[in-house]
Each structure stands twice: as structure tokens, then as C-alpha cells.
Amino acid sequence: MSAAGRVSEARAGWAMSSPALAAIILFFVLPAIASLALSFTDFDIYALADIGNLRFVGFQNYERLIGNPLFWKAVTNTLLFVGFGVPFIVALSLFAAMLVNSRWLKWRPVWRVALFAPYVTTLVATAVVWRYLLHTRYGLVNYLLSLFGIAPIDWLGDPHASLPAILIFVGWKTFGYNMIIFLAALQTVPRELDEAARIDGAGWFTRLRHVILPAIAPTVLLVSVLTVAGMFQLFAEPYVMTQGGPAQSTVTILYFMYEEGFKWWNLGSGAAVAFLLFLCILAVTLVQLRLAKRSGAI
């Protein structure tokens, strides 16, 4: 290709990608910069009424966060949600995608719709249903556990059980979206490879490990990154199900930020939480990309 052709191709590429770049700058980069700037101020309800009340406070918001036990409780809860929730949701999504992609399953379109439905169902409506399912005395979950001789569990009232209860609800609500992504990737895996491995005597787990997972490795990375970002930003589920309780056992970073910014009107402190959350997600994503690159997934 000539030099003029390369320049023309580069211009076409920038022209086609410029709308997406403009959206990223407008909706992601500028808010992040604004959040960083706001975190160095004491922006509160008085500054909302009169911008003259806004003062520069340096790192005081960050110092207060470091000395706040509830902030560290929120960080711990969020890390637990990420540590347990991401493998659980990714594995559940992959299993569901493989199930609806298998040839022996009848009425596959019906199963796809049924498994994807929780993702598009209203969060508040499903949360109300799940509160009944998890009810200590009348809930279906405790009834099923009682068939195995397990005593009733106060899922939403016990600090030790509330986090797993929220995690199960989040997994049920979100796995359908990831399932669709995995399903699209699974349909690109050549049937010949799977058939050849089957003829060679490879079992289901061996074919999963040496044929399917390497073929869909970039998709696994994509789903992992999206799920990690989603779990770090968990808010609506604990807000609707437990209001952060009991005993702050389900307070997440985003829930803590909401209370700082919109309950107590410490908007500068809330912006500091938001920027720290942004740094956490960015750091974990970079680690994921590095590990994926080292393993050859990308």
C-alpha cells in the first residue's frame, strides 16, 4: 500500500472511531476528572445553595475515609462480593451457555429466553419475590433445606447469611447476560475439534479444558472484566434487599458512597470514594489483562 493510501486508511479509521471516542471522553473521562477535582473540596449542601461556600480542603476527604471504620467495612464487603461473586457468576454463566448450546437439549430457544429473563426483569419486583423466597419461616429456600434436615436460616437478618443471600440473588439476576455472550462464543468453536477430541476418548472435562476454554479464552476475559466491574459497583441489590444491614454486613463501596453523597450530603467525600473505586476497578482490570496476556488468552 502506498503512503497516500495508508494516510487515507488512517483518516477513515479515526473518522469511524471518533463518535465512540467522543462518547468515552464525554461520559467517562470528564466525569472521572470532575470527581477527582471535587474530592479535594468540601462540596456539600451549602455549596449547592451558594458556590461561594465551596472550599479547597486538599486530602482531608481521603484522610477522613481512611479513619472511618465503615469505609473499611464497605471495602471488605465489596472484596468479598468480588472474590466469591466473580467466579460464581462466570462459572454459572458458562455452564448455562454450554447447557443451552448442547445438541441433546430440546426447545433450546425456550431455555434461552427463560434463562435470560431474570436479567431483563425489574430489579425491585424480583427483589420482593426473593425476600419471600428467603423468608425465615415461610420461604421456599428454607423449606427445601429442611428436607435435608437443615435448620431454618435467617438469610436477610443474620450478618453471616446476608452476604451469601445477596450473592445468590445477584448471580441469579445477572448470569443471563453473560450466558448470551458465552453462547455466541461457543457457537464459533469448530464442531470438528470437539468431535475429534471425543473420538480420541477425551471426556467432558478434558474437552472443556483443552478444546473449549482455549477457543473462548478472550470471551472469558471479557466476561470476567465486566463481572468484576459490576461487582465492584454493586448497589441496587443490597439497597433493595437489606438496606446495607444487618450490622452493615452488606454495605458496599457504592452504597457507602451513596450515603456519603446523597444521605449526608458530603459530596466531596462521596467524590473521593468514587475516585478510589475507579482506581480499584482500573487496577484489577489491568491485572486481569496482564494475566490474560501472560497466559496467551489475548
Side-chain angles (χ1 to χ4, degrees):
M1 181 182 294
S2 64
R6 286 196 295 271
V7 171
S8 177
E9 186 178 3
R11 285 178 180 172
W14 280 108
M16 286 187 284
S17 59
S18 57
L21 290 175
I24 290 173
I25 292 172
L26 183 61
F27 295 110
F28 293 97
V29 177
L30 291 181
I33 295 173
S35 176
L36 176 62
L38 202 63
S39 70
F40 295 123
T41 69
D42 65 344
F43 192 54
D44 55 13
I45 194 169
Y46 300 106
L48 279 175
D50 182 2
I51 198 64
N53 293 324
L54 184 67
R55 294 176 301 175
F56 179 78
V57 295
F59 288 93
Q60 286 184 15
N61 288 325
Y62 294 94
E63 292 171 357
R64 275 200 297 269
L65 287 178
I66 292 173
N68 189 342
L70 184 56
F71 171 72
W72 292 110
K73 179 68 175 175
V75 171
T76 304
N77 291 339
T78 303
L79 291 178
L80 288 173
F81 275 120
V82 173
F84 289 100
V86 172
F88 168 63
I89 293 174
V90 172
L92 183 64
S93 306
L94 180 59
F95 174 77
M98 294 178 67
L99 180 68
V100 298
N101 191 50
S102 59
R103 285 174 293 180
W104 56 265
L105 185 68
K106 295 182 179 178
W107 304 334
R108 283 186 289 178
V110 176
W111 282 103
R112 290 172 190 169
V113 173
L115 294 176
F116 184 70
Y119 181 74
V120 295
T121 308
T122 307
L123 174 66
V124 176
T126 54
V128 171
V129 173
W130 271 86
R131 286 179 66 89
Y132 281 108
L133 292 176
L134 296 171
H135 193 278
T136 307
R137 294 184 61 184
Y138 310 111
L140 177 63
V141 175
N142 276 342
Y143 170 74
L144 295 176
L145 292 177
S146 68
L147 300 179
F148 299 94
I150 300 175
I153 300 173
D154 188 2
W155 289 100
L156 301 179
D158 185 344
H160 300 291
S162 56
L163 195 145
I166 296 290
L167 197 57
I168 293 171
F169 174 62
V170 172
W172 172 83
K173 185 79 177 65
T174 59
F175 85 97
Y177 179 76
N178 294 337
M179 179 196 72
I180 295 299
I181 300 175
F182 275 132
L183 188 60
L186 288 172
Q187 291 178 348
T188 64
V189 179
R191 293 281 185 186
E192 296 80 8
L193 290 178
D194 190 54
E195 291 296 334
R198 194 191 303 270
I199 292 172
D200 288 340
W204 177 84
F205 184 75
T206 303
R207 285 185 280 117
L208 173 67
R209 181 181 176 187
H210 295 288
V211 177
I212 297 175
L213 286 181
I216 64 170
T219 304
V220 175
L221 173 64
L222 171 66
V223 170
S224 301
V225 170
L226 293 176
T227 308
V228 165
M231 296 304 287
F232 264 115
Q233 300 177 77
L234 199 62
F235 168 72
E237 289 83 356
Y239 179 78
V240 175
M241 295 281 285
T242 60
Q243 294 280 308
Q248 288 101 30
S249 60
T250 56
V251 172
T252 61
I253 294 180
L254 209 61
Y255 190 94
F256 178 79
M257 184 192 74
Y258 165 79
E259 289 202 329
E260 282 290 304
F262 299 105
K263 185 176 181 180
W264 310 117
W265 291 102
N266 296 322
L267 296 171
S269 178
V273 178
F275 192 73
L276 290 176
L277 179 61
F278 165 74
L279 292 180
C280 287
I281 296 175
L282 179 64
V284 174
T285 303
L286 291 176
V287 170
Q288 285 181 286
L289 292 176
R290 188 174 182 84
L291 292 176
K293 191 173 184 179
R294 184 178 295 178
S295 64
I298 55 176

